[in-house]
């Protein structure tokens, strides 16, 4: 049954806002600041013909915006590298956990076989104990009966002797005790022997029970460790999957943007170097076209970044953003 989520305290909401602020700052470094900067730069340039040559001031302004875009690109590359490193570390940990789980499964099988053997051993000692205990009880019961008979005969002998006085010696043959046939000493000896056997059987049974309990505890602990390792493996695989999704979203975008910025830089360099009217018009068109593409690409990176963040766990965002 799923418990209702506890209400957030004011401190938790504050930490949540702080975390959200860090995320927004990371996103801004990657996208918005550069996109808006270039967009503002374009909006401040008077509307001109598409092929009007760029002035020195316009080229310098575009170069400044390019530098900002390069800075954001570098920051995004660092974040991508952070996610890559997390991915590699998680893969290593998952592989180690899988090896550990394999060892735990092997150990579990060994302990399980030991449990079966020790259970059979315990059952054997318990059966032996039951048999010895039964014999001991029977011998002790027989001794008690003989002792009762002896006491009764001794009492009758005393009574007979009192009644016949000096003829009391005539009572002995008639009321000879059980000792005459040695029943009591023999039974006492049997009880002593069975008592020793019983003590040995108890010790063997208890030792077997102790070994069995120890193996049961080892089996249970191994089972818990295996379950924990399996849980860690599943968590690692889920994190790896999330990182792979984020990397699949971010990596192509960062590579494409790098190429676009390189092209933009080349166009600006060409615009500064060209010395013909036709060349200046052609490079101006290219620079303005690339500037628009840069703005569009970096604005679109907002969506890509949001999609990549949605695939990540909170700790992954905190670590790399």
């Amino acid at each position: 049954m799923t418990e209702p989520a506890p209400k957030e305290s004011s401190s938790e909401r504050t930490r949540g806002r702080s975390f959200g602020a860090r995320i927004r700052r990371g996103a801004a470094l990657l996208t918005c600041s550069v996109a808006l900067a270039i967009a503002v730069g374009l909006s401040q340039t008077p509307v001109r013909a598409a092929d009007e040559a760029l002035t020195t001031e316009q080229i310098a302004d575009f170069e400044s915006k390019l530098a900002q875009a390069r800075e954001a690109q570098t920051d995004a590359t660092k974040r991508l590298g952070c996610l890559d490193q997390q991915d590699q570390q998680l893969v290593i940990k998952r592989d180690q956990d899988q090896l550990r789980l394999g060892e735990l499964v092997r150990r579990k099988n060994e302990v399980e076989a030991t449990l079966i053997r020790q259970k059979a051993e315990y059952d054997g000692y318990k059966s032996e104990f039951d048999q010895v205990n039964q014999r001991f009880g029977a011998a002790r019961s027989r001794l008690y009966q003989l002792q009762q008979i002896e006491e009764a005969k001794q009492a009758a002998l005393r009574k007979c002797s009192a009644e016949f006085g000096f003829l009391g010696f005539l009572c002995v043959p008639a009321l000879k005790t059980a000792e005459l046939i040695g029943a009591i000493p023999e039974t006492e000896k049997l009880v002593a022997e069975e008592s020793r056997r019983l003590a040995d059987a108890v010790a063997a049974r208890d030792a077997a029970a102790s070994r069995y309990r120890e193996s049961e505890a080892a089996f249970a602990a191994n089972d818990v460790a295996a379950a924990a390792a399996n849980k860690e493996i599943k968590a690692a695989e889920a994190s790896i999957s999330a990182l792979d999704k984020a990397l699949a979203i971010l990596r192509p975008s960062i590579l494409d943007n790098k190429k676009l910025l390189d092209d933009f830089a080349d166009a600006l360099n060409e615009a500064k170097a060209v010395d013909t009217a036709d060349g200046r018009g052609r490079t101006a068109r290219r620079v303005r076209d690339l500037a628009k593409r840069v703005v569009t690409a970096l604005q679109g990176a907002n969506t890509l970044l949001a999609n990549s963040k949605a695939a990540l766990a909170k700790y992954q965002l905190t670590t790399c953003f």
Side-chain angles (χ1 to χ4, degrees):
M1 179 172 136
T2 304
E3 294 183 357
K7 294 183 177 179
E8 286 188 337
S9 64
S10 60
S11 62
E12 289 173 333
R13 286 194 297 272
T14 300
R15 286 195 299 270
R17 288 194 294 271
S18 176
F19 173 75
R22 291 199 303 272
I23 296 301
R24 287 191 293 274
R25 285 196 297 272
L29 284 172
L30 180 64
T31 56
C32 292
S33 62
V34 177
L36 292 176
I38 295 178
V40 169
L42 289 177
S43 63
Q44 290 175 343
T45 303
V47 178
R48 301 174 183 274
D51 58 351
E52 184 176 351
L54 297 173
T55 65
T56 303
E57 291 76 11
Q58 289 173 330
I59 292 175
D61 186 56
F62 276 129
E63 286 179 331
S64 174
K65 302 305 183 292
L66 175 61
Q68 295 176 41
R70 292 285 197 197
E71 182 181 351
Q73 180 74 9
T74 299
D75 183 75
T77 302
K78 287 180 181 178
R79 298 183 193 282
L80 182 66
C82 175
L83 293 178
D84 261 326
Q85 186 177 18
Q86 276 197 27
D87 190 47
Q88 294 167 11
Q89 291 171 347
L90 281 170
V91 168
I92 292 172
K93 184 179 184 305
R94 181 205 56 195
D95 293 345
Q96 292 172 341
D97 287 340
Q98 286 177 337
L99 289 174
R100 182 161 60 93
L101 179 60
E103 178 61 23
L104 288 169
V105 170
R106 184 191 65 77
R107 175 62 180 157
K108 177 182 177 180
N109 293 335
E110 287 181 355
V111 176
E112 196 169 19
T114 301
L115 276 174
I116 294 172
R117 176 178 57 77
Q118 290 180 336
K119 181 64 167 61
E121 181 184 40
Y122 169 77
D123 289 342
Y125 283 125
K126 186 177 183 302
S127 176
E128 182 179 349
F129 163 80
D130 291 340
Q131 293 172 15
V132 174
N133 192 43
Q134 186 176 7
R135 292 197 304 269
F136 173 74
R140 191 168 55 178
S141 178
R142 174 61 178 159
L143 178 62
Y144 177 76
Q145 291 173 357
L146 290 174
Q147 287 171 338
Q148 291 296 103
I149 293 172
E150 174 68 11
E151 289 176 4
K153 286 187 176 184
Q154 289 291 346
L157 180 60
R158 288 191 296 271
K159 182 179 180 183
C160 178
S161 297
E163 289 178 354
F164 287 95
F166 69 93
L167 296 175
F169 66 90
L170 296 174
C171 297
V172 176
L175 296 172
K176 197 66 177 175
T177 66
E179 276 189 303
L180 188 65
I181 57 175
I184 288 179
E186 289 178 2
T187 305
E188 285 177 336
K189 181 180 178 181
L190 179 61
V191 169
E193 291 174 352
E194 294 297 343
S195 178
R196 286 192 296 271
R197 293 192 186 99
L198 182 63
D200 291 342
V202 168
R205 180 203 62 185
D206 291 349
S210 178
R211 288 192 295 272
Y212 183 73
R213 285 193 298 269
E214 288 175 0
S215 293
E216 274 190 321
F219 184 84
N222 191 88
D223 228 18
V224 170
N230 195 45
K231 183 178 180 181
E232 289 176 7
I233 289 171
K234 289 182 178 179
E237 287 179 341
S239 294
I240 290 169
S241 176
L243 282 169
D244 287 345
K245 288 179 181 177
L247 290 169
I249 293 170
L250 288 176
R251 189 178 284 116
S253 172
I254 289 175
L255 292 176
D256 290 345
N257 286 349
K258 181 181 182 304
K259 184 178 184 306
L260 183 59
L261 293 178
D262 288 344
D263 289 344
F264 190 33
D266 291 342
L268 286 173
N269 288 332
E270 185 180 355
K272 289 188 296 183
V274 70
D275 58 359
T276 64
D278 180 65
R280 285 192 292 270
R282 175 176 51 79
T283 56
R285 286 194 299 273
R286 186 182 176 208
V287 167
R288 291 190 176 102
D289 177 63
L290 286 171
K292 291 177 183 178
R293 288 172 58 192
V294 168
V295 172
T296 301
L298 292 178
Q299 287 175 337
N302 267 329
T303 302
L304 292 174
L305 184 62
N307 290 341
S308 66
K309 289 192 295 184
L312 297 174
K314 184 175 180 179
Y315 80 91
Q316 294 166 332
L317 289 172
T318 304
T319 301
C320 294
F321 288 88

